Amino acid sequence: GEDVEQSLFLSVREGDSSVINCTYTDSSSTYLYWYKQEPGAGLQLLTYIFSNMDMKQDQRLTVLLNKKDKHLSLRIADTQTGDSAIYFCADGGGSYIPTFGRGTSLIVHP
Amino acid sequence: EAEVAQSPRYKITEKSQAVAFWCDPISGHATLYWYRQILGQGPELLVQFQDESVVDDSQLPKDRFSAERLKGVDSTLKIQPAELGDSAMYLCASSPQDRGDGYTFGSGTRLTVV
């Protein structure tokens, strides 16, 4: 199957920006997603980007897409302790059904 | 805000017993999905329904897992018999037909097989 790779951990200080990176392999991807999962909870869709876009901004969140390199990133501005969670990159492939990476654990220090 | 409902929230069962999970998607969502998420990994798709029909169950271990969505609304995922390796979070998601932006997950059922 198609792969989605992301680093497993990221630690930042409160108030700093966080950048979570992801690479994917499916060149037919239409939707690319970022989900957030808090401990013991389901997945919350944070944002998504269409493959014909290279940037999307939504309040503190900025998604950058480099389709040529199949690289996706999520930037969280002014990171807060409440942002501590696991962040999943997901690739919609040729449809829209997400295939997930293993998730990046974001730890925000006061 | 509309939610995908799942029950039970937690389930502990003994090896070789049967276990079932229930999901009620967002009203009007034609497509329903069951995922399994093993600790430390991302969710993996087990089965996809379009209304009451199975669209994709290629990743469902059919010797012990079954899923149904009889009236095209709520759905049940069953495991019989449960094995230790089935311990995981089972997540249900639903979406409007052919749209990714409405893809919504429930809170999941945490299964522990002992």
Side-chain angles (χ1 to χ4, degrees), chain A residues 31 33 35 37 40-43 45 48 88 96-98 100-102, chain B residues 9 33 35 37 40 42-43 48 95 98-101 103 105-107:
Chain A
Y31 284 86
Y33 306 90
Y35 283 86
Q37 186 175 38
L43 277 75
L45 178 63
Y48 65 95
F88 289 94
Y96 58 91
I97 299 170
F100 291 87
R102 293 187 63 177
Chain B
R9 189 78 177 87
Y33 315 80
Y35 284 80
Q37 184 181 19
Q48 176 191 352
S95 70
D98 293 337
R99 285 183 55 186
D101 54 331
Y103 208 100
F105 281 84
S107 296

Side-chain angles (χ1 to χ4, degrees), chain B residues 35-70:
Chain B
Y35 284 80
R36 176 172 60 185
Q37 184 181 19
I38 294 169
L39 191 64
Q41 298 185 18
E44 295 177 299
L45 182 66
L46 292 175
V47 61
Q48 176 191 352
F49 288 92
Q50 179 69 36
D51 299 312
E52 67 276 8
S53 300
V54 173
V55 173
D56 181 5
D57 63 357
S58 57
Q59 300 304 309
L60 189 70
K62 298 183 192 60
D63 56 335
R64 297 184 300 107
F65 285 64
S66 64
E68 60 184 17
R69 193 184 183 198
L70 293 175

Side-chain angles (χ1 to χ4, degrees), chain A residues 39-60:
Chain A
L43 277 75
Q44 172 195 355
L45 178 63
L46 283 178
T47 188
Y48 65 95
I49 188 168
F50 289 111
S51 58
N52 62 357
M53 301 168 64
D54 51 22
M55 187 181 89
K56 180 177 181 180
Q57 189 154 0
D58 183 1
Q59 300 181 338
R60 294 191 296 123

